Amino acid sequence: MSTLEDILKQVQSGELDIEAAKNQLTEHWQSQTVAELGFAQIDTDRERRVGFPEVIFGEGKSAEQMIAIMKRMKEHSDRILATRVDQAKADAILAEIDGAAYHPTARAITWFRHPMLKVHDGYIAVVCAGTSDMPVAEEAALTAECMGSHVERVYDVGVAGIHRLFRRLPLIRGANAVVVAAGMEGALASVVGGLVSKPVIAVPTSIGYGASFQGVAALLAMLNACAPGISVVNIDNGFGAGYYAGLINQNMAKRL
Amino acid sequence: MSTLEDILKQVQSGELDIEAAKNQLTEHWQSQTVAELGFAQIDTDRERRVGFPEVIFGEGKSAEQMIAIMKRMKEHSDRILATRVDQAKADAILAEIDGAAYHPTARAITWFRHPMLKVHDGYIAVVCAGTSDMPVAEEAALTAECMGSHVERVYDVGVAGIHRLFRRLPLIRGANAVVVAAGMEGALASVVGGLVSKPVIAVPTSIGYGASFQGVAALLAMLNACAPGISVVNIDNGFGAGYYAGLINQNMAKRL
Amino acid sequence: MSTLEDILKQVQSGELDIEAAKNQLTEHWQSQTVAELGFAQIDTDRERRVGFPEVIFGEGKSAEQMIAIMKRMKEHSDRILATRVDQAKADAILAEIDGAAYHPTARAITWFRHPMLKVHDGYIAVVCAGTSDMPVAEEAALTAECMGSHVERVYDVGVAGIHRLFRRLPLIRGANAVVVAAGMEGALASVVGGLVSKPVIAVPTSIGYGASFQGVAALLAMLNACAPGISVVNIDNGFGAGYYAGLINQNMAKRL
Amino acid sequence: MSTLEDILKQVQSGELDIEAAKNQLTEHWQSQTVAELGFAQIDTDRERRVGFPEVIFGEGKSAEQMIAIMKRMKEHSDRILATRVDQAKADAILAEIDGAAYHPTARAITWFRHPMLKVHDGYIAVVCAGTSDMPVAEEAALTAECMGSHVERVYDVGVAGIHRLFRRLPLIRGANAVVVAAGMEGALASVVGGLVSKPVIAVPTSIGYGASFQGVAALLAMLNACAPGISVVNIDNGFGAGYYAGLINQNMAKRL
Amino acid sequence: MSTLEDILKQVQSGELDIEAAKNQLTEHWQSQTVAELGFAQIDTDRERRVGFPEVIFGEGKSAEQMIAIMKRMKEHSDRILATRVDQAKADAILAEIDGAAYHPTARAITWFRHPMLKVHDGYIAVVCAGTSDMPVAEEAALTAECMGSHVERVYDVGVAGIHRLFRRLPLIRGANAVVVAAGMEGALASVVGGLVSKPVIAVPTSIGYGASFQGVAALLAMLNACAPGISVVNIDNGFGAGYYAGLINQNMAKRL
Amino acid sequence: MSTLEDILKQVQSGELDIEAAKNQLTEHWQSQTVAELGFAQIDTDRERRVGFPEVIFGEGKSAEQMIAIMKRMKEHSDRILATRVDQAKADAILAEIDGAAYHPTARAITWFRHPMLKVHDGYIAVVCAGTSDMPVAEEAALTAECMGSHVERVYDVGVAGIHRLFRRLPLIRGANAVVVAAGMEGALASVVGGLVSKPVIAVPTSIGYGASFQGVAALLAMLNACAPGISVVNIDNGFGAGYYAGLINQNMAKRL
Amino acid sequence: MSTLEDILKQVQSGELDIEAAKNQLTEHWQSQTVAELGFAQIDTDRERRVGFPEVIFGEGKSAEQMIAIMKRMKEHSDRILATRVDQAKADAILAEIDGAAYHPTARAITWFRHPMLKVHDGYIAVVCAGTSDMPVAEEAALTAECMGSHVERVYDVGVAGIHRLFRRLPLIRGANAVVVAAGMEGALASVVGGLVSKPVIAVPTSIGYGASFQGVAALLAMLNACAPGISVVNIDNGFGAGYYAGLINQNMAKRL
Amino acid sequence: MSTLEDILKQVQSGELDIEAAKNQLTEHWQSQTVAELGFAQIDTDRERRVGFPEVIFGEGKSAEQMIAIMKRMKEHSDRILATRVDQAKADAILAEIDGAAYHPTARAITWFRHPMLKVHDGYIAVVCAGTSDMPVAEEAALTAECMGSHVERVYDVGVAGIHRLFRRLPLIRGANAVVVAAGMEGALASVVGGLVSKPVIAVPTSIGYGASFQGVAALLAMLNACAPGISVVNIDNGFGAGYYAGLINQNMAKRL
């Protein structure tokens, strides 16, 4: 199919009249940026535009739909990430998609054309408050790894026993970006934010009960953190936090 | 006026018939426990029952109403505490109530028949996160002092600079009860709770903006604190926190 | 392993150079305070610091994870408490942990190296409004018992039939601390708070429907109680309330 | 103007053709039931339909609008009630409306063609928890009085000193309907509801601070009252509560 | 067991000394008013005090607990009402409690020693907006019937087709009290309230989806009804509405 | 049965006396507008009054109830629409209602006496943000089709890849009304609203997690859209949006 | 400045090379669609795109900023509408903008190059529940008039006296679109929606107190209206409702 | 004062015994990290730890307090930033603090020992939706500038006229980090996030009315943005967003 340059040159040379040029420009652009799939329009331009291909949100999609999307994406991209996939769906998908891997704690599927590489210098720290926050933390870690970042995990260091955090501080401080996942009162984000000079991405988790309101208490706490250098993503959005950290790390690498 | 014992004895001796006994018992009890004031019924039995006389909540009462209540309370009690009193009301009250004192940061008025004494052993620590939390912290401290407790103040030690807290830890750990006042994300309560073995009373303050929702973020955080040994009072309820700490301290003193 | 004193002495004597001293201090401290378990870092310093070992929150942990944690904790502590454990998990755990006991109403597991003793003088009253509040009340009672407190239970005394409460008042007034569990409108906490001179820990329960919003109505009522001497813990947090009451009782005992 | 009967008879007699009959029926009905006032359409049929004339809600209406409405209502009704009127508006209105009276605590204006009479047997009890709840309680009391009920006021009997309530119980129990106004945690409604066999109308007030959320805590508590026989009106809706109690009393009187 | 009169007389005559009198008074009172059942304290004084025996809320109670409570209540009362009972529990209970009947739409069980009679003059109208509101409406109707009221049902007359309501108006207007159950936007309560001169008890139902928030939209609408003469009970609280209407009807009957 | 005209004429001619006329008028009107069905009163006047027959909301109705309603509606109307019907209910209904069809994505059943025709000129565009929004979008599309509108579907064009929307803009701009279904942050409504000159009906969907609060985030966003020309229906209310668009289209057709 | 056609032709003819063509296209487009004003970028393309010029939201803008924007808009458009303008700002603006008019109830300013005409056939009905809703209703009416629609006002016809609405029904039914403004419980929207076959735009107002939550009760009620054919705009958004109704009317006129 | 190294060496050499060493270490650390100010403890270690000195939040502090803090900070730092300062406070402060400057739109005060330099390569884009969002955007821009970043401002490009955004896209895409400030529905964040490959920091503003709930609608929208690469700070927290962007930019510069 012709490139933008080609089309404009054909207009210049008179090979193409104006109406035809308009049509060709439209067709060209559409074929470059959207893969029609009936029930879905895959945004194949995403990687060029924002640095990573469209990620498949597994919740509410059938295994069949996911397999169809993945097959189509393999034609356009070298890596695929699907989040919020339960074991049953994963089994069905892995039977169909050669080379896909399932990560049960992170509840995610990855597929790589080439071995997954740590392509960037530097690393990301993923910190979580309790063992129950691990699925969210793992989703963050895996996402960042898919984007080419090395990840250091620092788990179960909540403020009820704050010395557990302090002994891991040097590792956290060395990261290019820090993800902090915490439920209940989410205080860990403020404490980490007050101790490091790197951007902290706080991800509230829905761990807790009663007045935690499925993560709202942690969300509000993180939005009101008294320490600067903290930004927040949606409750349980490990993917978003890992993506954000990966983006920072990737941009730093590009600059070198 | 006759005591309960007297009345029953008169029944026994036949001096009093049953109908008359019923009436006398009612009158006796009412005169002991309520001071009628038209617009208010002062609970003069409160000190006997819960250990401290009725405290006057100044918000929404006129200076005139407060003066009338105080004058009547002076007949029944040796100490008076009025909270949420602004400067103008305080001026009017002090002009009428001999010996009353106004505490502007705590926005409270106190009156004592005898000099205020630290009657109990041990002390209470009142900790706050930022200078803006001081009015609430001072209300707590003053209330505890009115109940006879010695108070140690540890102010402006929020988690954004957590070393400020750590250097005061021995003082906090030595208290019989610890009040922690904090706004914004209220993380200080969790951190203190994880470091001491004494009951912590957390009081969320309305300091903050946006998604702090006038103290709701701190309130939820404190209710969901991951450290045990923390209980919570209403937003900006310095009085309640100080009272609770004073109660614990007073009860410990009684036991000795 | 060397103590802090040992290490400093070795520095003094020249046995240890400064770099080595730093490393040894770090190692020493970590081994004293954290038991690494892969998915969890047990805070083995908790008992020394706050007076009770780390309590296992069973919700969201597998039986396998809980067994592993308990086995490790048995090396460090003489007593273990695990809350929010359902019958199925309890069966699996009891098969593996010798001497553990399951308390079905409280949904909790306890393990003691030595027989559980009422080590303190005085007692705690656990009061609840209705029979549906009993699981929360029992969690509170059991927790306080694990901390060595004697507990008196006063159940089903809600304000719809307030005389049921009044006839139990002397028992409640004699306690060192009072736990009040109530759902629906939570009025029982205010009524009890107005009648006793001991700290009341109010625990809202999620009992109710419609505009009770899973315990929010009771929570707000308790935070706004017109009687002083009341503090509040999270909805359904029987553990937190019992712990708090146990802490008060334990501190009073220490003073004697 | 012709009555419904007249019109139908004229149809029967042939005096009126069918089209004309339709028009006359419409005109007749409208003139009976609405007084056009440009910015307002006064529902002059209200008294016949629901037992009391339209009540003027003063908030957000100018003194001029209120005067115009009152003047028009005087043509149709023997009594007028206007609520939520501040002192300044009241002054302007009283200068124009002969015989109107202002009740400052209740913030209401009344006008009666004939002296206000207690026309019904029996009485209504209006109970409130604290002195700050008095404006709402007075609005309720005045409204019921306007409807012809005798009212007994029982003020400042909140549950923090529950004996104040108990000594007034016989009076409350004798009423045909009981209004209970309370802010903060609103527990008074539940306690009264558990002690009387008459309909209780609970009106939450906006008295309180922090987590009272301008009366929401009391509103939720009252909706979740564990005692039956309690219904609820809007926050600070003294008028609605008094009206409801007056309606019950009025209906009982009609039956005799 | 001795009556209050007996005891006082024995004091008068000297048969009883004062200490013994105190004990007897306590025992007497307790045996009259509470039936101890281990997990429950049945309030056997309720009927005398508020006009109807304690009602059993079935949600969260086992069939065994309910059977035990019912058996005990049969010793003290001539009628029993249990609400929120599902079919399975009902089967178990009916097998044990002779003469009990299950009402599946109302999800309630009733038991009467004597045939249920319409003991009062007059009737109650129970109105509902849609067929989905029928379980709540039936709970209200059945409760009122248990209290001796005759009930007229006016179902499926929501405002989307308001003429369905208008043709039933005379029946509604003739009632002594009107229950209106409606979900979604709950507008029916306002419309009925504007058309009748009897107390309306509005019960919001949880029927709806999305921004109905399980009945909150209807609850708020009813609390803000522009027509007076409307009071509100908790979401889905058909029992409470029927009880309230029954109370009004019963009190009116008593007066005659 | 006699028409209104007939009855009035009989009055005129003297065939009918006035009392009898009143009764006949009432009967006439009722039989025309309500079909009594025991548990339901079908509003058979709806189509005349608002342009479309009553639609059956399937949630919370049994298959039996729905079959009964449909059978009765077939006597009054040429088309039937039932929404929120799951597969199992649909199977039961299709077995009984000849000619009914089930639309699984839209979860709706339709029945037409005559083939469904696109009776109006012009068309409606139904736009959705993601594949998960399709059930709501399809419910909207099907509803509009039932009302006689032609529908163009533009699916999976959310703002994360906004070029997908732009290439479909001419189609959207040509519609007489535009339905936009979106979950998560609902931004698509604002973007579309800023680009077209036709009424946009925004329908928030419950797609999302965490702080989407089951569609509340999208609902609020749409209510606050900075572009004018947008109105909003309830969360997941595809039916309401399609109905509204169909109404606009139908009214435009009538005018021609 | 050159048109799109011109530029492409110059490319065809070779007058313009490709880089220059790109630049010219960009410049061309920008100058057509945005008027730079330092603190604001006026969207001068809005009228072409959505059918009405950008409307100035006056809240939070200074009189100076509004004057500057209006002066610039006069160069691009024949009509200007500014909403939420208080009297003081209006005075300042009218002194500077020749021909501008202020509408105090609607709190809006209009300016027309030519006399405002009712350019469309048909009309819009603006209905409101109470006199306090008039500012919102007037904002809606004025906006629709600015768009060229004739408006019929039907005010103060709330459901507390529903006959006031019924006598105006024929007028409402004749409109092409109906705006319904109501506060408190917002029931008027449902009632109107059930009686007309035209699109109803419901605008909740913030009129009310207590549990109306500044219009939230009415908003929820309108979103949950049981009658179809109703869509909703933001609280107090009279402009949005009038704009929407005007858009429907304008589109219908275009079709003729 | 001695350094850490000095102290340890003195221990090694025997000059210092162990107890004395402990004391000296404590003093040393405290003097390095906290400046005591009575009502405040300035965290002078903040710059070393997190990369920027403590920022003064002006709301709720008196001019006197702010002057005292600034004077003390000048001893420790080369730059000072104070936010949320109104004009009156600013006047008082500038009269006392030589070289301080007030920025009225951003409502902030800055002081620099040396001229403010753009010390880093690259730049930050600050984007806002409307002119009313400018104070928040300016606070962000100024904060980033204080941290040494160059800032490009892209204002008034909300999605109602999305072409205004598109023509500025190349500038936005070239930034190292992008701040997006928007009120109302906050859709701009999602649209920008879908178009750039740099971290986007979304800051919801409180601009809007009704169901915007002072910024909550925008906050929720941003947390639920369908485009990845977006994180969120508190409502109106321009400072936090600018700080976060500055941190990213500063860290990237350090890497070069």
Side-chain angles (χ1 to χ4, degrees), chain B residues 7 28 46 51 60 71 78-79 82 86 94 103 109-110 121 147 158 160 164 168 185 189 199 201 207-208 218 231:
Chain B
I7 299 168
H28 161 79
R46 184 84 53 100
K71 283 186 171 165
D78 287 352
R79 51 186 169 173
D86 58 39
L94 264 61
H103 309 258
I109 286 176
T110 52
D121 242 32
M147 295 178 77
R164 297 177 300 186
R168 310 291 293 276
E185 92 283 55
I201 302 106
I207 298 304
S231 70

Side-chain angles (χ1 to χ4, degrees), chain B:
Chain B
M1 193 168 284
S2 336
T3 64
L4 181 59
E5 190 103 11
D6 290 343
I7 299 168
L8 280 174
K9 279 182 184 160
Q10 286 178 306
V11 172
Q12 201 174 35
S13 66
E15 279 174 77
L16 214 58
D17 69 21
I18 286 168
E19 273 317 293
K22 280 180 182 168
N23 290 338
Q24 282 213 8
L25 281 164
T26 304
E27 264 175 57
H28 161 79
W29 180 59
Q30 288 175 4
S31 66
Q32 295 296 316
T33 57
V34 181
E36 279 282 3
L37 209 66
F39 60 90
Q41 301 198 44
I42 304 169
D43 178 359
T44 55
D45 182 51
R46 184 84 53 100
E47 185 155 14
R48 182 197 64 76
R49 212 168 62 241
V50 304
F52 196 78
E54 193 167 350
V55 172
I56 306 166
F57 184 72
E59 221 166 272
K61 292 205 181 70
S62 66
E64 289 65 37
Q65 289 179 312
M66 295 187 69
I67 290 163
I69 293 173
M70 284 183 175
K71 283 186 171 165
R72 190 62 170 271
M73 288 187 71
K74 285 170 75 172
E75 302 168 14
H76 294 269
S77 178
D78 287 352
R79 51 186 169 173
I80 299 175
L81 172 62
T83 61
R84 306 242 172 177
V85 185
D86 58 39
Q87 185 71 53
K89 262 186 223 172
D91 291 345
I93 293 168
L94 264 61
E96 291 284 329
I97 304 291
D98 222 54
Y102 184 57
H103 309 258
T105 307
R107 296 160 304 170
I109 286 176
T110 52
W111 173 88
F112 292 89
R113 194 177 307 279
H114 317 294
M116 182 161 75
L117 294 173
K118 304 289 172 285
V119 297
H120 311 309
D121 242 32
Y123 63 89
I124 285 166
V126 176
V127 181
C128 80
T131 48
S132 313
D133 302 315
M134 276 177 59
V136 175
E138 274 300 303
E139 192 184 79
L142 185 68
T143 300
E145 287 169 347
C146 285
M147 295 178 77
S149 288
H150 179 76
V151 173
E152 293 285 345
R153 289 157 169 84
V154 181
Y155 289 175
D156 198 20
V157 294
V159 301
I162 207 167
H163 59 289
R164 297 177 300 186
L165 173 69
F166 285 157
R167 68 192 189 103
R168 310 291 293 276
L169 259 187
L171 184 65
I172 300 172
R173 282 181 163 149
N176 277 336
V178 182
V179 171
V180 177
M184 303 181 84
E185 92 283 55
L188 185 60
S190 298
V191 172
V192 171
L195 293 166
V196 307
S197 60
K198 303 299 169 44
V200 171
I201 302 106
V203 50
T205 73
S206 54
I207 298 304
Y209 61 93
S212 92
F213 300 127
Q214 283 80 53
V216 170
L219 171 63
L220 294 185
M222 288 165 170
L223 285 168
N224 287 285
C226 54
I230 298 172
S231 70
V232 186
V233 296
N234 195 3
I235 297 165
D236 288 337
N237 189 6
F239 161 70
Y243 186 97
Y244 203 83
L247 202 57
I248 291 175
N249 203 32
Q250 170 180 294
N251 285 336
M252 292 185 76
K254 279 185 192 157
R255 296 268 305 212
L256 293 174

Side-chain angles (χ1 to χ4, degrees), chain E residues 131 155-156 160 164 167 211, chain F residues 30 36 39 41 49 234 237:
Chain E
T131 48
Y155 289 176
D156 198 18
R164 296 177 299 186
R167 68 191 190 105
Chain F
Q30 288 176 3
E36 279 281 3
F39 59 90
Q41 301 198 45
R49 211 168 63 242
N234 194 4
N237 188 5

Side-chain angles (χ1 to χ4, degrees), chain D residues 29-30 36 39 41 49 234, chain G residues 131 155-156 160 164 167 211:
Chain D
W29 180 59
Q30 288 176 2
E36 279 281 3
F39 60 89
Q41 301 198 43
R49 213 168 61 243
N234 195 4
Chain G
T131 48
Y155 289 175
D156 197 19
R164 296 177 300 185
R167 68 192 190 103

Side-chain angles (χ1 to χ4, degrees), chain E residues 205-216:
Chain E
T205 73
S206 54
I207 297 303
Y209 61 93
S212 91
F213 300 127
Q214 283 81 53
V216 170

